[in-house]
Every structure is written in structure tokens, then in C-alpha cells.
Amino acid sequence: MPYQNVKQLRTDVLIVGGGGAGITAAISSAKNGADVLIASKGKVGNSGNTIMIGGSYAMDGESAYHDYGIKEADPKLTKKVLFDSIINDGFHISDQNLVEQFVEESPWIVNEVRLWAEKAGQKFKFGKPATWAMSGRAMGRALYQGLIDSDNIDFLEDVMVVELIKKNDTIIGAIAIDIYSGEMIEINSKSVVLGTGGFQPFSLKNTNSDMTGDGIAMAFRAGAKVADMEFLLFLLTALEPNEIKGSIMPVYFTFFDFKYKVTDRDGNEVVIPPELKAIEGKSELCKLIDLYYYGKVVSEGKGTENDGVYFDFSDSTDEEINSMFEGLMDYYSNFYKKGYYHADSVETYRDIILKNRRIKVSMGNEYTLGGIVINEKMETSLKGLYAAGECTSGTFGANRVADAVVEMMVQGYRAGVTAAEYAKGATFKENREMSKKIVETYLSYFDNSGGISAAIANIELENISDKAIHFLRNENDLNNAIIAYEKLEEKLKSVSLHSKSKAYNFEWISAIQAKNRLQCAKLAAIMAKERKESRGLHLRSDFPMVDNERYLIRQMAELLEGQIVITSRSPIVTSYDLPIGQQKDYFSYILEHEMGLENLLYNEQGESV
Amino acid sequence: MILRILRFDSELDQASYYQEYDLPISSEDRFTVMDALNYIFNNLDSSLSFFSHSVCNHGICGRCLMIVDGKPSLACTHILGGEKVVIEPKKGTVIRDLVVK
């Protein structure tokens, strides 16, 4: 293969990802004197999970009231309350230095982005304590405004970075593919920031299709540490009608106090014990209760197809149902065309409920807590490599309560500063041998024949994940899944493309994404198997206790001489004392640690996604 | 339902041509155009190209615009009806099949 066909680019700081983490990193890098290049798999400001936001973002009320002069803000939600709640509701395995960075640095960037939104003419609706609700597109446009107001930032759009280039343990650039032309690109850079988002290994999708764990997987392959992969956040997600499948509209039923019963496939009510039901509406931990009880229905084989339950409205009259939806549509009309949530018809959804008196709903994976290990400066374990946003781990421990939207921008901005500082003292380096090998590997996909197709590989991956790393896990399913993932890894080595054309060859892109998703899903299964307890979003039917004696730890994975090595360590503590080691029943633990904030953290109509 | 799709590969083809796919779906399935194209990619013909690499699937990003029965439509929100549907790329330089830059 003649290497002359590979396009050569050079930049001080390469930012991978065109969502909120990448954009804020680009802005701060440029501000700190670096020449910046963003490589985004989609459009910058119009891709990734940033545009899927269906809710809000927030700062603490104390900063809003005192530092930003927002008199409607509620200063009772202090920085300390926010800090404590993130650690408490994350089941105490957050790295507290990261939570401090989140709490201390977020008010400024949250306010900055709000100003960009104003300049871009986007509507952000204020709510107490200090929350702004908006649509994902509005957030994308606000961030884009910040970007075009900065100098020295170039973009490569619809370009997928596939591998990092390393020399003597230092990251010195990356190899990418232009998705439209199929051209391969070598980008030489003094530092690299990953803002590539999470991974989504299941068949039910409520995220952008570009959430394939590319950054996490390529950092891992390059030798970076990743952690907490067993913690996957699930959110209520529509299963029907087909055109609305994947919408998170049903999440709003809980904020708007919709009256319904939850039933299994046969119409039997899913009974949640009254003492747990009592904390619904006043604790962020109540989501975990839903996860457990819906998960139990599904794992006992009583769920609907697609692992769902029914929301049953048979006790409500037409008027009551109409009135619930009227309130919801009024609220949505702040951000979307009246009668719609994003472009999904709320009226169609309501009419199905009016007709059938019930609707199938499941929980979809919308966020991954696991990812690349970082410190409070967004440095990874590899020199020259930085990471921000959903592709990182450690801030939210075992369960996220604060905003992923804030995480992306507060970490993005910091990562950009650190990467630009590092670039000042670094020189351009090359590793032509490694670059050539990467290019050859990715072009060799076109030489295979007779192997598995990319489409089937992704479907197989989803089937394994649906069964094993879903809501309620157990040893046997996890063991089987790890074996199945490894078999699929073997098959993927000879993945074959039916079309040999390089122009928009989605089979090629899809095969690469399958490899990345598989890498992440396998690490999730391994860590889920090793964590023989239940904690936060990780629920084990065979180990139902929260075990602070043995598992008040973060699990980390690293590739050493081609082998996955799992280690663990205690979370980093700054000022919040960890609980004394003991085992406790999961729900007693929740009741004991419920902070009684009465949803002070978020207004009832502004949960962020 | 028959999907009649205009195809062209800028690397391989001299001219565009229509190809028909017979899908075991009807109007009641409420398939979107995107669902149907994914069905073809997964089950019938993985060489068919359409905007697939950064799909929101809820009418947010607006990038899957194509011409369905003569009208510009987002593939992810347009619900398929009838016996036969014609799908063509939107205006612009066709890179491949329904992908336009």
C-alpha cells in the first residue's frame, strides 16, 4: 500500500469529537495559544449525544445567586450539598478530586454556555434551584456559537478517528478515515483530547448512533487505563409505536406526576414495597428502584418483547389522560413544535394510550459511567492524551445524579487548557512504522472474504449484551457472555465487506464500530462479573448486598502485552469520609442513604439527560 | 412493501439505476424509511448506502433528508405507507446511493 495516499495533517492539539466535550476543549485550547483541529465523526455541534439532550443543565444555586446575580436561584442548593449528593448517590466510589473539579469549575462554564445560547438566539428556560431546560439542538447551536467566536480552530467533519499513534509511551497523533471518501488521514499532533462519548451495546437505542465507544476503545488499545465499565445508566424509553421507539418521552411521566400502574406481560401489577414507593418524588435514588423492579420482571421472563413492561392507564378516564398529556405538551411547546417532543408526536403516543389503555415501555441505556481514567486536570495514564465528558470515568461513581451535560463542558474546558499547556513544551514526533501498520490494518478489511458481515456482528453483540449486562446480572450469564464476546472477537478478525468501494462504505465504518463496541462491552461484562455485590446501577441477582467491606473500590482495566489486566483501588478521598465497611441489603442501603433533598437538585420538569 | 431505490456508486458506476427490494412489512408496522433501509442493510443488501454514521433517529439532526415519493423527507420520521415507495437522494453531489454531500 503506498503511504503517499494517506493525507498528512498537523496541529498542536487534536480534539476528537464534535459534541460538548470536544467543542469546549477546542475553545479553551485555542484561548491558551494552541492551533486546534477538531475531528468529528458527525457534524460539529450537530452530532453525538449532545443533540439528544432532552432536558436541562444546572449549576449550584449558591453560585447562581451570589456569583452570577440570578435572584430567582435557590441558594439552599449549595456547592457542599451538590458535592455530597454526587458522592452519596454515586454509592461513594467517585474520585472526590474529580467531583471537586466538577463542583468548583462548573458554574463559570455553565454561565458562559448560557451566554453563547443567548447570542445564538436559543431558548434556555430557567427553573429553580439554578437549572436551564433546553433542547439538544439548542445546546448544539449554543456551543457552536462559542466555537465560531474563537480563532485558530479548524474542523474535519464526518471523519472518524480510528487509532491513536504512540511513540515511547507518548501519544503523538491519530489515524482517521474520511467517511464520505474513504480516504485515510494521519494527523500529527503534540497532544490529543478525546471527547468521544460513551458506548451503547444493546439492541434498544435511545442515543445517537455514533455512541460506539470509539475513544474508550482506542485509548484502551493504546495502553490507557479504563475503569467502572460495569455501570450503565438506563432510562425509561418508548417501545411503541414503532416510529417513536427509542424516545425517552416516558421519563417525563414521572416528572409530570402521571397516574398509571406498571404491569408485566400478563397484566399483573409490579408491586414496589410502600416504604420504597414513599421516597419516589423526593429522591434521585428512586430511579434505581424502578431499574430493580422492572429488571426483576424481565429477568423472570415476565416482560414484554424487547424487555419491557406496560404502563397501564386503565384506572384513568379519557379526560384524565388528556389532561396529563395537555400539561406535558404545554411544557414541551417551550422548546418544540406544539404536540411534539423532538420530532416525535406526543399526540400519537397519547392516542395509543387512549385506545389501548396501556403502552409498552422499557429502559434504554443512555449513558455510560465507565470510561478512561482521568485526574482533575483531565490527564489520562498516557502522556499527551487527555479525555473529557462521557468517555471518562470516576466523577459519578456507581450512579449519576448530576448532569452529564455539565460534565462534558466542565471537563472539556479543563482538558483543553491542560492539552494546550502540554503542547507548548512538546515537539512534533513521528512513528511512521506504527502509522503504516494502522493504515494497513484498516485497509485490510477490504481483502477479507467469507467472514461475518458487520451488520450481523453488531446484531450478535447486541444479543449477547441484552442477555448479560442488562438490568439484573448474574455470574452464569456473565460467564457465558464473556465467552460469546471472545468468539465474536475472533469472527470479527475476518469481517468481510460485500462492497469494495471506499466511497461511503458504511459496512467498513460499522465493522470498526463493532470492534470498539465489543471492546467496551467485554470490559463491562468482565468488571460486572468481578464485582460480586450490588451497587448503584450494577445489580446482581446472585449478590444482592451492597458490600462496603470488599467493593468500596473502582475497578480498572489495562492492556499489558496484549492481555487484559484488571486491578482495583479505593476511590480518591478529599473531604468526604467513606462509610465504614459492612454489607447491607441494597434497598435498606438506599433508604439509609436517601438524602431527603425533596428533589432540590432538579426542578420536577428539568431532569437532564 | 416494495422499496424502489435510486442507486449510484461514484467509484464504480457510470450512471444511476433503480433497484427494488421486497420487504415483509406493511403500513401497520409503522416502519420509518430509516427502519426499512436498516432492514435492507441488515438482511438483504449491505452494499446499500444511506446516511448511517451519526443518526439521531428522532428528527433532531436533520441529516437523513432524502426524496420519498417525490417529496423531501427525513428518513427517520417519515412513516412508510402504500404498496410501493420510491426513494431517491436529495439534490447535491451523490457520493453513493442515497448519500449526498
Side-chain angles (χ1 to χ4, degrees):
Chain A
M1 200 284 310
Y3 201 78
Q4 301 86 276
N5 290 350
V6 177
K7 187 171 169 179
Q8 306 284 320
L9 295 172
R10 191 167 254 215
T11 182
D12 290 341
V13 179
L14 169 65
I15 311 274
V16 187
I23 291 175
T24 49
I27 292 169
S28 63
S29 263
K31 212 174 250 182
N32 283 273
D35 274 329
V36 178
L37 178 65
I38 303 178
S40 172
K41 190 155 69 167
K43 285 270 182 206
V44 174
N46 188 17
S47 61
N49 271 351
T50 301
I51 59 164
M52 308 304 284
I53 297 168
S56 65
Y57 80 146
M59 67 169 83
D60 69 276
E62 185 185 16
S63 303
Y65 187 86
H66 294 293
D67 300 340
Y68 294 95
I70 300 165
K71 292 300 162 215
E72 306 80 36
D74 182 354
K76 282 204 298 294
L77 179 69
T78 60
K79 280 185 177 177
K80 170 127 184 29
V81 170
L82 180 59
F83 178 80
D84 288 354
S85 70
I86 290 173
I87 294 164
N88 178 74
D89 293 0
F91 286 62
H92 304 104
I93 58 166
S94 300
D95 271 351
Q96 294 177 17
N97 54 332
L98 298 182
V99 185
E100 274 183 3
Q101 189 268 338
F102 180 96
V103 171
E104 289 302 323
E105 297 182 13
S106 61
W108 180 82
I109 187 71
V110 163
N111 189 60
E112 198 72 3
V113 172
R114 193 170 70 85
L115 299 176
W116 298 341
E118 267 174 30
K119 190 169 175 199
Q122 300 302 310
K123 186 167 181 187
F124 281 26
K125 188 179 172 348
F126 181 81
K128 277 182 196 304
T131 297
W132 289 268
M134 90 306 286
S135 71
R137 273 309 272 132
M139 177 55 80
R141 291 188 178 113
L143 291 161
Y144 194 80
Q145 183 67 49
L147 193 62
I148 56 176
D149 289 347
S150 307
D151 295 325
N152 302 323
I153 302 174
D154 281 332
F155 316 163
L156 289 175
E157 295 181 311
D158 302 306
V159 165
M160 180 186 187
V161 171
V162 292
E163 218 72 73
L164 297 164
I165 312 168
K166 204 163 111 172
K167 187 172 195 174
N168 307 330
D169 290 328
T170 300
I171 297 299
I172 56 164
I175 300 287
I177 296 172
D178 181 318
I179 295 172
Y180 283 90
S181 68
E183 182 182 38
M184 299 207 71
I185 307 166
E186 179 186 334
I187 306 162
N188 212 234
S189 66
K190 292 174 181 167
S191 56
V192 177
V193 179
L194 297 174
T196 44
F199 65 99
Q200 200 297 93
F202 302 103
S203 58
L204 177 63
K205 299 172 196 324
N206 61 14
T207 58
N208 196 306
S209 73
D210 52 20
M211 287 295 111
T212 52
D214 303 342
I216 299 171
M218 77 178 93
F220 182 71
R221 286 194 293 267
K225 280 186 182 166
V226 305
D228 306 333
M229 299 292 276
E230 68 273 41
F231 301 109
L232 302 170
L233 198 154
F234 296 91
L235 209 58
L236 289 170
T237 300
L239 284 181
E240 60 175 346
N242 189 61
E243 77 273 20
I244 297 178
K245 186 175 178 177
S247 169
I248 57 161
M249 193 197 304
V251 170
Y252 281 83
F253 292 8
T254 53
F255 306 143
F256 279 78
D257 225 7
F258 275 37
K259 301 279 177 270
Y260 55 86
K261 288 185 302 206
V262 179
T263 71
D264 66 13
R265 188 179 57 206
D266 304 319
N268 300 311
E269 187 171 353
V270 179
V271 182
I272 297 177
E275 67 272 24
L276 291 173
K277 199 88 187 135
I279 69 166
E280 214 170 56
K282 67 170 190 170
S283 172
E284 288 297 323
L285 294 171
C286 71
K287 277 185 278 189
L288 300 174
I289 298 167
D290 289 344
L291 180 66
Y292 176 82
Y293 281 95
Y294 300 174
K296 196 157 169 282
V297 168
V298 169
S299 66
E300 286 169 357
K302 294 179 193 158
T304 68
E305 69 213 83
N306 291 96
D307 290 350
V309 293
Y310 282 107
F311 279 8
D312 183 320
F313 290 79
S314 55
D315 293 338
S316 300
T317 63
D318 281 7
E319 289 70 38
E320 285 167 335
I321 292 169
N322 277 319
S323 141
M324 294 177 209
F325 275 93
E326 207 43 55
L328 187 60
M329 285 190 282
D330 272 353
Y331 175 71
Y332 286 154
S333 68
N334 282 303
F335 316 103
Y336 310 102
K337 192 166 74 171
K338 173 87 179 172
Y340 287 85
Y341 175 60
H342 294 300
D344 295 315
S345 167
V346 185
E347 288 177 0
T348 301
Y349 205 74
R350 176 200 61 198
D351 290 348
I352 289 171
I353 292 173
L354 283 170
K355 183 164 164 246
N356 301 338
R357 279 317 199 254
R358 63 179 193 176
I359 198 155
K360 263 185 275 178
V361 168
S362 187
M363 297 189 95
N365 174 211
E366 63 104 31
Y367 176 86
T368 44
L369 283 94
I372 302 160
V373 175
I374 47 160
N375 64 15
E376 69 280 4
K377 287 161 57 193
M378 308 306 137
E379 292 164 329
T380 69
S381 57
L382 294 177
K383 217 170 148 193
L385 184 67
Y386 307 85
E390 193 182 340
C391 73
T392 71
S393 62
T395 308
F396 299 122
N399 175 41
R400 172 170 70 76
V401 291
D403 303 302
V405 180
V406 176
E407 179 195 39
M408 73 185 180
M409 53 185 69
V410 72
Q411 294 188 345
Y413 202 86
R414 174 54 54 194
V417 172
T418 312
E421 285 303 320
Y422 173 83
K424 276 179 194 161
T427 52
F428 289 109
K429 293 183 192 73
E430 275 196 356
N431 184 347
R432 185 48 62 86
E433 199 188 332
M434 183 174 184
S435 301
K436 258 182 107 163
K437 208 172 155 212
I438 294 167
V439 169
E440 277 165 14
T441 302
Y442 283 92
L443 288 176
S444 75
Y445 283 55
F446 288 91
D447 304 331
N448 295 341
S449 62
I452 193 171
S453 76
I456 299 299
N458 275 296
I459 291 168
E460 279 191 17
L461 159 70
E462 289 167 2
N463 289 339
I464 303 166
S465 304
D466 283 353
K467 197 159 169 13
I469 52 175
H470 227 188
F471 316 141
L472 265 181
R473 296 123 181 218
N474 67 70
E475 191 85 5
N476 190 40
D477 286 349
L478 290 165
N479 276 327
N480 291 338
I482 293 165
I483 294 167
Y485 285 140
E486 280 169 356
K487 276 191 184 151
L488 184 55
E489 250 171 10
E490 277 307 307
K491 285 198 249 179
L492 256 182
K493 284 181 184 161
S494 57
V495 64
S496 300
L497 317 177
H498 288 94
S499 162
K500 305 298 182 194
S501 169
K502 289 201 180 62
Y504 204 92
N505 192 323
F506 188 65
E507 289 182 279
W508 189 26
I509 300 303
S510 179
I512 301 167
Q513 293 187 153
K515 180 171 80 165
N516 292 336
R517 289 174 90 194
L518 179 55
Q519 179 70 73
C520 294
K522 185 176 139 186
L523 290 173
I526 293 171
M527 290 189 185
K529 175 183 141 76
E530 293 301 319
R531 186 175 284 281
K532 296 183 198 314
E533 64 152 358
S534 292
R535 178 179 301 271
L537 293 155
H538 169 70
L539 297 170
R540 288 280 300 249
S541 56
D542 46 355
F543 292 100
M545 308 288 263
V546 181
D547 184 352
N548 277 341
E549 264 169 58
R550 293 161 65 206
Y551 291 105
L552 195 59
I553 51 167
R554 298 184 63 199
Q555 295 192 87
M556 310 210 162
E558 198 176 352
L559 206 52
L560 291 173
E561 286 162 14
Q563 296 298 309
I564 297 172
V565 177
I566 305 286
T567 54
S568 65
R569 66 156 168 82
S570 296
I572 293 169
V573 173
T574 57
S575 61
Y576 186 116
D577 290 337
L578 295 180
I580 307 297
Q582 57 178 322
Q583 290 195 23
K584 196 153 240 155
D585 160 64
Y586 187 78
F587 289 115
S588 308
Y589 193 91
I590 286 187
L591 289 170
E592 191 178 304
H593 288 89
E594 197 281 296
M595 288 174 72
L597 292 173
E598 303 282 348
N599 278 357
L600 179 64
L601 280 178
Y602 310 95
N603 68 350
E604 74 277 12
Q605 298 163 355
E607 174 69 0
S608 75
V609 170
Chain B
M1 193 180 287
I2 307 271
L3 262 67
R4 184 175 163 80
I5 300 177
L6 189 61
R7 303 203 58 186
F8 175 70
D9 185 330
S10 58
E11 269 192 21
L12 306 175
D13 298 330
Q14 299 291 323
S16 58
Y17 60 96
Y18 285 95
Q19 185 167 353
E20 293 194 351
Y21 297 93
D22 195 352
L23 275 67
I25 56 163
S26 68
S27 301
E28 284 99 77
D29 293 313
R30 302 182 72 87
F31 260 44
T32 62
V33 172
M34 186 63 86
D35 292 330
L37 295 174
N38 278 322
Y39 183 91
I40 295 170
F41 182 82
N42 287 340
N43 300 286
L44 304 175
D45 180 358
S46 58
S47 73
L48 180 70
S49 291
F50 51 98
F51 181 79
S52 317
H53 67 283
S54 180
V55 177
C56 74
N57 215 24
H58 295 279
I60 303 166
C61 69
R63 297 199 69 197
C64 60
L65 190 74
M66 45 190 77
I67 309 297
V68 181
D69 285 335
K71 289 189 191 126
S73 310
L74 289 181
C76 71
T77 57
H78 184 103
I79 301 163
L80 286 168
E83 314 254 288
K84 189 167 180 174
V85 181
V86 180
I87 303 176
E88 295 160 324
K90 67 178 176 186
K91 271 189 195 155
T93 308
V94 177
I95 303 291
R96 186 163 158 188
D97 300 336
L98 302 169
V99 179
V100 173
K101 207 174 177 183

